[in-house]
Amino acid sequence: MPASRLALLAFACLCLSAGQAAAQQKFKIGVISTMSGPAGAFGTETMAGLNLALKRGNGAFGGVPVELVTGDDQVRPELGKQLAEKMIMQDKVNMFAGTIFGQVVLAAAPVAFAAKVPFVAGVPGPSEYSGAGCNRLFFSTGYQTDGPHEAMAKYLTAKKFKNVYVMVLNTVSGRDAVAGIKRFYSEPLAGEVYVTVNQIDYSTEIAAIQAKKPEAVYIFLPGGMGINFIKQYKLAGLSKISPLIGFSFAFEEDVLRAVGDAALGSLNSSNWANDMPNAENKAFVAAFEAEYKRLPSQYAAFAYDFALMMGSVLPTMKGNFSDGEALAAAISKARFKSTRGDFRFNRNHMPIQDWVLRAVVRDDKGRITNRTVDRIMSAHQDAYVKDCKLGAAQ
């Protein structure tokens, strides 16, 4: 064979090999989220944030090509575990992200731990993984689950609310919510009620509230649950008697688009708002509105922040994505500009962050949305970190 043809063949093989190597270097993320049912908006918004980041990054985070392997957990812990097992065994994912519900996290994350694969929850940092049970492979880019409730409880105490009725989900996150409220609220609760996930009818709970006549009603009912409750609450004529308050997920954009002016005036705590003035948030909100023709929710912002984080981490791995322990160590040291401002993890891998008070308003375009009205906490650290034996805060 002529030398020129040999050289051409060798060059072709080299290109093929390089192409195969590049393909093998695609970073695979298992996204286990809630994409159907009354809570399906959570997964829809999570995917919207991730896909927006991928589009803006030309299919990559930090220049590293990314593939998303998705699964709908349906708020079923056993299904979340099965999805994690399938993604490890068949899809060979390098990490997990996007999970919304604490009970699903607690079922799926141990699968990742056993495989030495990082698990980055999309929202919750359950108390089980925040203190003595903290894990070098577990992170939350949202918040430690007590956090938003601690913030709102601090506000209620400062404003001398004396008679607050609390209604939350009967879940891991719901129980953490009540723990957070009681940690910072100085008065006895007028009522403490736990409702089932995906509950539709709240007539019994509303009758109990009518009988109690509390000064305010604190709710942790995200997605379709919040939509149904807020509509039924207004129909019962309670909005002006016992105003609704809560944390952000009960008053997010998916809820507000559905309930309209029924939520006007409601106060809620959050670590993010679409009017935060930092450059990253302005760019995110503008890009999201241009892409999806609606305002983003907190779920989308958290997913986008996850992408920003990985954009800062993946280039440092230099293609060594198979070492989950090294990847987790790199994530723990992540420093990046998020939609919430400068981002950093505490030693238990929960964010150290500010909390603000938002009010539901009608903006100058006639949309029902949230507006930041006050700052409640700055650089807040959760109550469990003192018991975590991982390294010192980065």
Side-chain angles (χ1 to χ4, degrees):
M1 183 179 291
S4 59
R5 289 192 64 188
L6 283 171
L8 184 60
L9 181 60
F11 179 73
C13 290
L14 180 63
C15 290
L16 178 61
S17 175
Q20 290 172 335
Q24 291 170 354
Q25 291 304 304
K26 182 173 282 191
F27 187 79
K28 298 178 77 170
I29 301 173
V31 182
I32 299 174
S33 200
T34 306
M35 302 181 189
S36 61
F42 308 161
T44 298
E45 287 289 289
T46 296
M47 291 307 302
L50 291 172
N51 286 328
L52 178 64
L54 277 176
K55 182 175 182 179
R56 299 194 80 199
N58 295 315
F61 293 163
V64 175
V66 166
E67 178 183 347
L68 302 179
V69 179
T70 63
D72 178 10
D73 61 47
Q74 301 174 32
V75 203
R76 292 168 50 200
E78 73 280 4
L79 181 54
K81 180 181 178 182
Q82 291 167 13
L83 288 168
E85 290 169 343
K86 179 257 183 187
M87 290 177 181
I88 290 286
M89 298 297 294
Q90 297 182 26
D91 301 306
K92 310 296 183 185
V93 298
N94 300 109
M95 72 180 305
F96 289 95
T99 310
I100 303 294
F101 282 89
Q103 64 268 38
V104 179
V105 167
L106 293 179
V111 177
F113 302 161
K116 293 184 169 51
V117 170
F119 193 105
V120 182
V123 175
S127 56
E128 289 85 349
Y129 292 153
S130 304
C134 61
N135 191 294
R136 65 191 181 281
L137 294 167
F138 183 82
F139 302 81
S140 169
T141 47
Y143 48 76
Q144 195 287 314
T145 314
D146 299 29
H149 313 286
E150 291 176 338
M152 199 65 194
K154 181 180 179 182
Y155 172 81
L156 292 172
T157 295
K159 296 301 180 181
K160 296 181 168 47
F161 278 75
K162 300 293 184 184
N163 190 29
V164 177
Y165 192 97
V166 172
M167 187 162 64
V168 303
L169 296 178
N170 189 14
T171 62
V172 170
S173 296
R175 291 185 287 277
D176 281 354
V178 173
I181 291 168
K182 290 180 175 179
R183 191 173 294 120
F184 278 79
Y185 183 57
S186 59
E187 301 290 336
L189 297 178
E192 180 181 330
V193 176
Y194 296 83
V195 302
T196 59
V197 173
N198 292 339
Q199 184 169 324
I200 295 172
D201 177 51
Y202 295 93
S203 55
T204 300
E205 289 80 7
I206 286 173
I209 293 169
Q210 287 173 318
K212 290 275 189 178
K213 295 183 174 60
E215 186 177 356
V217 175
Y218 183 99
I219 60 172
F220 170 25
L221 299 171
M225 294 163 282
I227 291 169
N228 287 319
F229 177 78
I230 292 170
K231 286 182 175 180
Q232 292 168 39
Y233 194 80
K234 184 183 180 183
L235 284 174
L238 285 170
S239 299
K240 294 182 179 179
I241 299 171
S242 301
L244 290 178
I245 56 176
F247 95 110
S248 55
F249 282 7
F251 302 97
E252 264 308 328
E253 296 298 328
D254 60 309
V255 174
L256 298 182
R257 285 192 293 269
V259 303
D261 62 7
L264 280 173
S266 295
L267 299 175
N268 59 96
S269 58
S270 183
N271 55 352
W272 174 85
N274 59 41
D275 62 352
M276 283 184 167
N278 66 78
E280 287 70 27
N281 195 50
K282 287 182 176 180
F284 162 66
V285 172
F288 193 97
E289 283 194 86
E291 183 70 19
Y292 300 111
K293 313 306 178 191
R294 66 178 188 271
L295 287 169
S297 71
Q298 194 173 31
Y299 313 103
F302 288 172
Y304 194 82
D305 279 347
F306 165 79
L308 292 175
M309 178 183 77
M310 296 312 296
S312 73
V313 169
L314 289 179
T316 71
M317 299 302 297
K318 302 187 185 305
N320 181 23
F321 304 141
S322 62
D323 188 342
E325 299 274 8
L327 178 60
I331 293 172
S332 72
K333 299 173 185 175
R335 291 288 184 278
F336 64 99
K337 300 285 186 181
S338 78
T339 63
R340 291 164 265 174
D342 292 333
F343 189 100
R344 66 180 175 127
F345 286 114
N346 211 331
R347 70 172 179 270
N348 61 352
H349 299 168
M350 305 294 156
I352 298 173
Q353 58 192 334
D354 297 348
W355 290 93
V356 300
L357 183 71
R358 307 190 306 186
V360 179
V361 301
R362 190 184 303 276
D363 70 9
D364 55 9
K365 296 181 180 179
R367 300 173 298 189
I368 307 295
T369 187
N370 285 288
R371 177 176 298 155
T372 304
V373 294
D374 200 1
R375 184 177 300 276
I376 306 174
M377 293 174 164
S378 297
H380 179 59
Q381 301 185 48
D382 64 82
Y384 303 95
V385 66
K386 66 183 185 301
D387 298 319
C388 176
K389 303 306 182 185
L390 296 177
Q394 304 296 322

